[in-house]
Amino acid sequence: MLQMVFRILGPLDISAGGAPVTLTGARQRTIMSMLLLAPNRVVSVETLADAVWNGRPPATARNQIAICVSALRKTLKATVGADDVLVTSHPGYMLFAGEHRIDAVEFEERAALGREAARSGRAEEACAHFEEALAMWRGPALEGITAERAQAEATRLTEMRLDVHEEHAGLRLEMGHHRELIGELTAFVREHPLRETATAHLMLAQYRSGRRAEALETYRDGRRLLAEELGIDPGPALQELHEEILADSPRLALPAEPVALVPSATVPAQLPSAVASFTGRRRELAALDTLLDHLGGPALPVGSVTGIGGVGKTALAVHWARQVAVRFPDGQLFADLRGYDEEEPRRPSAVLDRFLRALGVPAPQIPADQNERTALFRSVLDGRRVLIVLDNARSFQQIRPLLPGSGRCCVLITSRDPMGGALAGDYAFVPLHLDALGQDEAIALLSRVVGDDRLTADPVAAARLGALCDGLPLALRIAAARLAAKPHWTVRSLVARLEDQHRRLDELSPDERGVRAGLRLSYRDLPDATARMFRLLATVNVPDFAAWAGAALLDIDPLDAEDLIEELVDAQLVVPVGTTTGHVRYRFPGLPRLFARERALAEDAAPDLRRAVRRVLGAWLALAAEAHRRVYGGDYTVLHGPAPLHPLPAHLTDSLLQDPMEWFESERAAITGLVEQAARDGESAFAWDLTMTSVTLFQNRNYLEDWRHSCEAALAAARQAGDRLGEAVMLHSLGTLEIVEWSYDRAGDHLTDALRLFEELGQDQGRALVLRNLALCARHHGELDDARDLGHRSLEIFRAVGDRYAEAHVLGMLAQIELERGDPRASLQLSSEAVARSRALGTARGEAQSTVRLAEALLHQGNGERAEEAGRRALDLVRAGGDRRGEAHALRALGEALWCRGRTLEAEEAVREALRVAGKVPDRYLEGRARMVLGCLVLLHGDAAGAADCFTAADELFAGIGAPFWQERARHLGEVVRGGAVPGSQELFALVQP
């Protein structure tokens, strides 16, 4: 595969092996630009749509984005053989750079190298890096891309370019290149007149070149422009330079020879040695670099690095401090404040004593009182440039006496406590929350410690090892050290050990400095209620959760629960992961979850844990049942058992379920995890009831794997517990799933067993649900009379038990059966009644299903106008509810209605859209029906070859699902077309109708 070069520092340009790669269309160029602006990071579909349509994406935006990305993949594959550059990753797409080159990335890397060289006093090397970085620019970034979002990112790149230009000019001034700079800086200032740093560089270059009057004129022009454009005066630095030029200050003269900053023997240099395995963290280091921008200002620059224990706070702080040490010629002070150690935190007074001694204060002159020590410390530091690193701080009270009063100094703090509330406002505060390492950085750290090729030889196992360590540098170093000590182990050997949740913490805690020790120190200081919340949350098998789950676990008010969880966030033990349904969601990192489970087993009685888990299962089940009611218009088509509910306050339930399907979607992973947990723990009633109630989600959004997994787990639990009702309900649900997947023989077996159990239990509603599904099986096998009889039997029971949704659904099913029996009049009557009953219930999904059947009945009577109205109504309903399967049905029915009205081009467009949706669901029956209709339409438009392809594809689809009636129709149409005949529109239309 050729190496690709992506260039965005100018017009978008892509090449491979020197040959250009051409993208067609503005949308493709915009999407590629957005992905190149965030290489190796996921860009959500919503962000891409916002960029393409400038904040006004259409309803079909997601589909259109997918189509554009697919086209981009094909282009890259065809031109350079690359099929792994554009990666699908929830919730969008990612451009995986790999060995390919991106000029913007290389620009930032060169700039960073230049800054590092400048900090170390290597001016010529720094200038070379800066020149390489600036030479990459070919014009305005992303020139020609009009998307507002892309241009906003392009503006950021342009600002970086201007910063580098100014830094380069500043270095060249220090090196004595003032004469050569005047012309270049004059043009730069003319183009960017409001950038005061550039103006200052030009003034200094002019002054040093003997052009004092021009320097003063440059200042006057700059002051006038600032007043006219912004209504402000020049900043203090520019004003001070102006005054120094007026006074011919000797400070402006260039030293004859550069002076090396050699610390004297009395200058403290207390920074620890850097961590040899330090990896990555470029963005974090760049964020800390902004502290240097505040040096010499009115407020003390204070940086804060926070994060969970083991995430590498100290390593980052020391690495950055060593990089910038040259900027602090008066020394660097370092103290481990032991805020989260087994020992007592270090007292500020003791730290001050050590700092003062290091700064040259004789011991007899150090006062005993802490306040006096702080005053003396600030006096000694006044006017000096000293960097102070306060590691492992416990609280603001501990560090406050250690903060100097001079803005020429800089302080960097590491802590598990953010302390932002105390530091923000009074200081030039730069907060930085340190997250775990990404996959690539984690593997790089592992490789650096292991020192051989075992990780590169097995990248899958390497990635898994990084994930099992939560990306925490401490855990990664321990894991890597184990591999280094065991050269005969493969990476998978260690992965297998860590996969065992009962061993993982042991494997990563070889001594008192291991992972468990760090977590114990964070846990030790939690208040009792917060610690209990920590333990109980870890007992619930969900990937993330909202505060109401914690409220159910502890049986407390939801707001009190949220306060406790936020305390866990502050302690870096749980992580907020965004907001859904208006509520913040949280998750456990893997290692803290394992530690919390250990503590729960050690500290909580088993009956208490069981009661807490039953409460939280009851809360999820209560919400799922209420969401189902709101979708279906009542407690219909569902069977409940004896599992006790734990209802939440009514106002909270209403807030969570404003959009019931959105709530179901946000809880999908939690529901499947809880079903699995309930089944494993012998809570059969919770397992099958939660599964049955959540079919609303599984079927509507086509999560068929989740549906099957939950059903099978709950069925096994019910059988083990002797829960015959649960067994019957899960057999019925599995039968329904098999029908959805066109496995009618397996469906019949499950449903027959379910019917026997329901009859033995005297459960009428369950019996009716099974009879309805058996009617669908009979219809599939062409036994239409049996299907009608079974449907009417189920209808009678649904009416008797008052299940109005199921009644409407069966009416629609019977309408379909009558249509296939050749009685469109009866079908029209039944489907009209089904629509009316669904609408009366206020259930959009039921009304949409019935309305599609009504459209089909109307088409059989040749009433295309009313059929179109019905199709559009159904389409509006399913799109509002996010029902993709229903959308495909409605689009296909709408296409047929438009065809019936003679609008074949519009019909073809609708049917193609139906095909796209059906392919994503996926639903092979729907896709087959749409293929047949599309084949007829393209045939009418003169494309016989395209029609034959459609009919062949439909034939194969129907054969795959065992639909002989439709397979025979598709095969017949294919034979007709291949024979050279072109039937009329009405004849073709009749062949695609039931």
Side-chain angles (χ1 to χ4, degrees):
M1 182 180 69
L2 295 174
Q3 183 189 56
M4 282 185 289
V5 178
F6 299 95
R7 299 201 293 173
I8 61 176
L9 303 181
L12 175 63
D13 178 83
I14 306 174
S15 61
V21 177
T22 303
L23 303 185
T24 60
R27 290 180 186 175
Q28 285 191 23
R29 294 172 63 79
T30 298
I31 290 172
M32 179 59 80
S33 299
M34 293 298 294
L35 295 173
L36 285 168
L37 286 165
N40 301 317
R41 302 199 308 273
V42 177
V43 182
S44 70
V45 173
E46 287 73 16
T47 299
L48 293 174
D50 184 73
V52 170
W53 286 281
N54 282 329
R56 296 179 295 278
T60 59
R62 183 174 291 272
N63 288 339
Q64 294 190 53
I65 293 295
I67 291 167
C68 282
V69 172
S70 177
L72 286 169
R73 285 184 177 135
K74 289 179 181 177
T75 299
L76 298 180
K77 177 71 173 178
T79 54
V80 296
D83 55 4
D84 60 348
V85 178
L86 299 185
V87 180
T88 301
S89 181
H90 182 77
Y93 303 95
M94 178 178 71
L95 188 142
F96 177 65
E99 298 300 318
H100 305 297
R101 295 174 55 194
I102 302 173
D103 63 351
V105 173
E106 294 181 356
F107 165 74
E108 292 191 45
E109 290 173 347
R110 294 289 189 282
L113 289 171
R115 291 186 178 113
E116 185 176 354
R119 290 179 193 138
S120 303
R122 306 191 306 274
E124 290 187 4
E125 180 185 339
C127 282
H129 287 307
F130 286 148
E131 286 167 7
E132 289 177 5
L134 292 169
M136 295 178 186
W137 286 78
R138 299 167 292 115
L142 289 173
E143 186 176 12
I145 302 296
T146 59
E148 294 174 4
R149 195 149 189 155
Q151 280 303 311
E153 287 296 311
T155 300
R156 181 185 66 83
L157 287 170
T158 299
E159 286 296 316
M160 293 173 61
R161 175 196 182 193
L162 300 180
D163 289 343
V164 170
H165 196 288
E166 290 175 341
E167 291 175 62
H168 185 212
L171 272 177
R172 292 168 68 191
L173 278 172
E174 292 179 15
M175 297 168 66
H177 299 169
H178 39 273
R179 295 186 186 278
E180 302 96 304
L181 275 169
I182 291 177
E184 180 183 326
L185 283 171
T186 299
F188 186 86
V189 170
R190 187 181 301 116
E191 187 176 353
H192 309 285
L194 301 181
R195 294 187 70 92
E196 295 187 35
T197 300
T199 301
H201 287 340
L202 176 56
M203 290 168 60
L204 186 56
Q206 290 168 329
Y207 178 80
R208 285 180 176 173
S209 300
R211 296 155 71 168
R212 182 170 178 266
E214 290 181 23
L216 296 172
E217 181 64 26
T218 297
Y219 176 78
R220 285 193 294 272
D221 290 343
R223 182 179 61 185
R224 176 179 52 78
L225 277 167
L226 287 168
E228 292 175 355
E229 296 288 334
L230 303 177
I232 60 173
D233 291 326
L238 201 58
Q239 291 187 39
E240 183 179 348
L241 176 60
H242 175 243
E243 291 169 3
E244 289 180 334
I245 290 174
L246 286 172
D248 286 319
S249 170
R251 290 182 54 198
L252 300 182
L254 187 70
E257 295 181 2
V259 179
L261 298 175
V262 181
S264 68
T266 60
V267 173
Q270 296 183 344
L271 295 176
S273 60
V275 176
S277 58
F278 184 87
T279 303
R281 303 296 195 189
R282 288 192 307 165
R283 290 181 191 165
E284 291 84 353
L285 290 167
L288 292 178
D289 279 345
T290 62
L291 285 167
L292 305 177
D293 298 337
H294 300 287
L295 288 176
L300 174 70
V302 178
S304 168
V305 181
T306 59
I308 189 173
V311 79
K313 301 183 293 294
T314 302
L316 174 68
V318 171
H319 188 86
W320 179 80
R322 287 199 160 275
Q323 281 189 341
V324 302
V326 70
R327 298 287 296 272
F328 300 93
D330 297 316
Q332 306 91 42
L333 298 171
F334 180 91
D336 178 1
L337 300 183
R338 297 196 309 228
Y340 289 88
D341 283 3
E342 295 286 2
E343 305 173 59
E344 285 294 314
R346 202 178 292 275
R347 292 178 294 106
S349 180
V351 177
L352 285 166
D353 178 77
R354 191 163 65 83
F355 280 177
L356 287 168
R357 291 171 187 266
L359 290 166
V361 178
Q365 296 180 21
I366 299 176
D369 180 75
Q370 177 177 297
N371 292 332
E372 293 180 7
R373 286 185 179 182
T374 296
L376 177 59
F377 179 60
R378 290 172 178 165
S379 298
V380 171
L381 290 179
D382 187 49
R384 296 193 186 185
R385 287 183 289 175
V386 175
L387 174 62
I388 304 167
V389 179
L390 302 176
D391 186 41
N392 198 12
R394 181 52 181 267
S395 64
F396 178 68
Q397 288 70 29
Q398 187 186 26
I399 65 168
R400 186 174 185 176
L402 308 176
L403 299 178
S406 168
R408 294 175 66 82
C409 293
C410 179
V411 178
L412 182 59
I413 304 160
T414 75
S415 177
R416 300 184 194 185
D417 180 353
M419 289 187 268
L423 291 167
D426 293 335
Y427 304 92
F429 182 48
V430 176
L432 176 64
H433 178 77
L434 199 58
D435 291 319
L437 293 174
Q439 178 178 300
D440 291 345
E441 290 181 329
I443 293 174
L445 189 155
L446 288 166
S447 299
R448 186 168 294 180
V449 177
V450 173
D452 57 35
D453 61 355
R454 278 178 286 175
L455 290 145
T456 56
D458 193 347
V460 174
R464 181 59 183 156
L465 180 57
L468 289 169
C469 293
D470 280 357
L472 292 179
L474 172 62
L476 291 164
R477 282 195 294 271
I478 292 171
R482 299 209 64 191
L483 281 175
K486 301 283 186 180
H488 54 286
W489 278 11
T490 66
V491 180
R492 290 177 187 265
S493 302
L494 183 55
V495 166
R497 289 172 168 267
L498 297 185
E499 289 280 13
D500 184 345
Q501 295 188 8
H502 301 290
R503 298 177 58 98
R504 193 180 310 163
L505 281 176
D506 292 335
E507 297 284 342
L508 296 175
S509 304
D511 53 36
E512 69 280 359
R513 295 170 299 168
V515 172
R516 184 183 279 112
L519 291 168
R520 184 171 60 248
L521 293 173
S522 293
Y523 176 73
R524 176 191 63 184
D525 298 310
L526 295 176
D528 290 344
T530 310
R532 186 162 183 255
M533 177 68 82
F534 176 64
R535 299 193 302 271
L536 293 185
L537 281 170
T539 65
V540 185
N541 186 31
V542 295
D544 52 62
F545 51 87
W548 58 263
L553 279 167
L554 270 66
D555 199 13
I556 59 176
D557 181 84
L559 288 178
D560 293 335
E562 186 174 44
D563 289 342
L564 295 178
I565 294 171
E566 285 294 332
E567 289 182 22
L568 294 175
V569 172
D570 292 341
Q572 315 294 329
L573 291 171
V574 300
V575 181
V577 290
T579 302
T580 58
T581 63
H583 294 259
V584 178
R585 296 189 73 81
Y586 308 87
R587 71 167 178 85
F588 265 112
L591 296 171
R593 180 194 288 273
L594 293 177
F595 179 79
R597 287 177 179 169
E598 282 187 355
R599 299 321 311 153
L601 292 173
E603 299 181 34
D604 295 292
D608 291 340
L609 291 177
R610 184 179 178 86
R611 281 192 292 269
V613 172
R614 284 173 66 86
R615 281 195 301 271
V616 82
L617 286 169
W620 251 288
L621 181 55
L623 283 168
E626 181 58 28
H628 174 91
R629 290 186 197 101
R630 297 187 184 201
V631 171
Y632 280 77
D635 206 10
Y636 303 130
T637 71
V638 67
L639 297 168
H640 294 302
L645 304 182
H646 186 84
L648 299 175
H651 71 277
L652 177 57
T653 298
D654 287 340
S655 172
L656 289 166
L657 301 182
Q658 286 183 358
D659 184 336
M661 289 308 303
E662 183 185 356
W663 179 83
F664 263 127
E665 188 73 52
S666 69
E667 300 295 343
R668 175 169 70 94
I671 288 169
T672 54
L674 288 168
V675 169
E676 186 179 281
Q677 179 177 3
R680 184 182 63 242
D681 293 348
E683 297 286 1
S684 167
F686 280 112
W688 69 256
D689 201 339
L690 189 54
T691 298
M692 178 69 171
T693 309
S694 300
V695 170
T696 309
L697 167 70
F698 298 147
Q699 188 168 9
N700 193 326
R701 297 292 170 89
N702 208 58
Y703 296 125
L704 304 187
E705 289 184 10
D706 290 342
W707 188 354
R708 183 175 298 280
H709 176 76
S710 298
C711 268
E712 290 176 347
L715 177 61
R719 283 173 169 165
Q720 185 173 359
D723 183 348
R724 296 170 71 219
L725 177 60
E727 182 180 359
V729 171
M730 288 298 93
L731 284 169
H732 152 71
S733 190
L734 275 172
T736 307
L737 173 58
E738 300 293 3
I739 289 173
V740 170
E741 293 191 322
W742 286 81
S743 300
Y744 280 89
D745 290 337
R746 286 200 297 270
D749 293 340
H750 289 315
L751 294 169
T752 300
D753 291 342
L755 183 62
R756 174 180 53 79
L757 286 169
F758 281 133
E759 287 175 342
E760 291 173 1
L761 294 167
Q763 222 297 336
D764 288 339
Q765 188 176 9
R767 191 159 57 90
L769 289 169
V770 173
L771 288 171
R772 178 195 64 180
N773 283 355
L774 286 171
L776 290 171
C777 292
R779 173 187 164 227
H780 173 76
H781 292 302
E783 300 162 357
L784 297 180
D785 290 342
D786 289 345
R788 183 176 65 172
D789 292 343
L790 287 164
H792 280 289
R793 285 172 61 191
S794 70
L795 183 62
E796 290 174 8
I797 300 174
F798 284 135
R799 283 174 170 164
V801 299
D803 192 334
R804 291 182 289 163
Y805 185 97
E807 178 186 354
H809 183 268
V810 172
L811 285 169
M813 180 187 71
L814 287 170
Q816 190 73 29
I817 292 170
E818 293 295 357
L819 200 62
E820 293 171 7
R821 292 181 74 250
D823 191 348
R825 185 182 299 274
S827 176
L828 184 61
Q829 181 179 349
L830 287 163
S831 56
S832 297
E833 185 179 356
V835 170
R837 291 185 181 276
S838 297
R839 189 171 296 164
L841 281 172
T843 165
R845 186 165 182 263
E847 183 183 348
Q849 291 174 339
S850 300
T851 304
V852 168
R853 291 191 173 109
L854 174 61
E856 291 179 334
L858 290 165
L859 285 172
H860 263 275
Q861 294 195 334
N863 194 336
E865 182 177 356
R866 286 189 59 199
E868 181 187 349
E869 292 174 2
R872 293 194 185 281
R873 169 66 178 164
L875 191 57
D876 289 342
L877 289 167
V878 293
R879 281 179 170 167
D883 182 355
R884 302 291 281 168
R885 188 185 302 275
E887 183 179 0
H889 273 295
L891 283 165
R892 192 257 311 156
L894 176 59
E896 292 178 9
L898 291 166
W899 178 8
C900 182
R901 301 194 66 187
R903 289 149 57 189
T904 54
L905 289 175
E906 293 177 64
E908 182 179 337
E909 183 179 351
V911 175
R912 287 190 185 277
E913 181 67 13
L915 258 179
R916 282 191 288 271
V917 177
K920 291 184 178 185
V921 171
D923 189 313
R924 290 174 292 170
Y925 171 76
L926 270 171
E927 191 175 348
R929 290 285 305 274
R931 288 268 178 209
M932 281 182 62
V933 177
L934 180 61
C936 293
L937 290 167
V938 298
L939 181 61
L940 291 173
H941 296 151
D943 184 1
D949 290 343
C950 285
F951 297 141
T952 299
D955 182 357
E956 293 171 355
L957 287 163
F958 291 133
I961 61 176
F965 172 83
W966 289 107
Q967 185 184 1
E968 184 180 343
R969 289 276 187 94
R971 185 168 297 170
H972 171 69
L973 283 165
E975 290 170 353
V976 169
V977 173
R978 283 188 289 274
V982 181
S985 180
Q986 290 186 350
E987 183 181 350
L988 287 172
F989 189 81
L991 286 171
V992 299
Q993 297 302 300

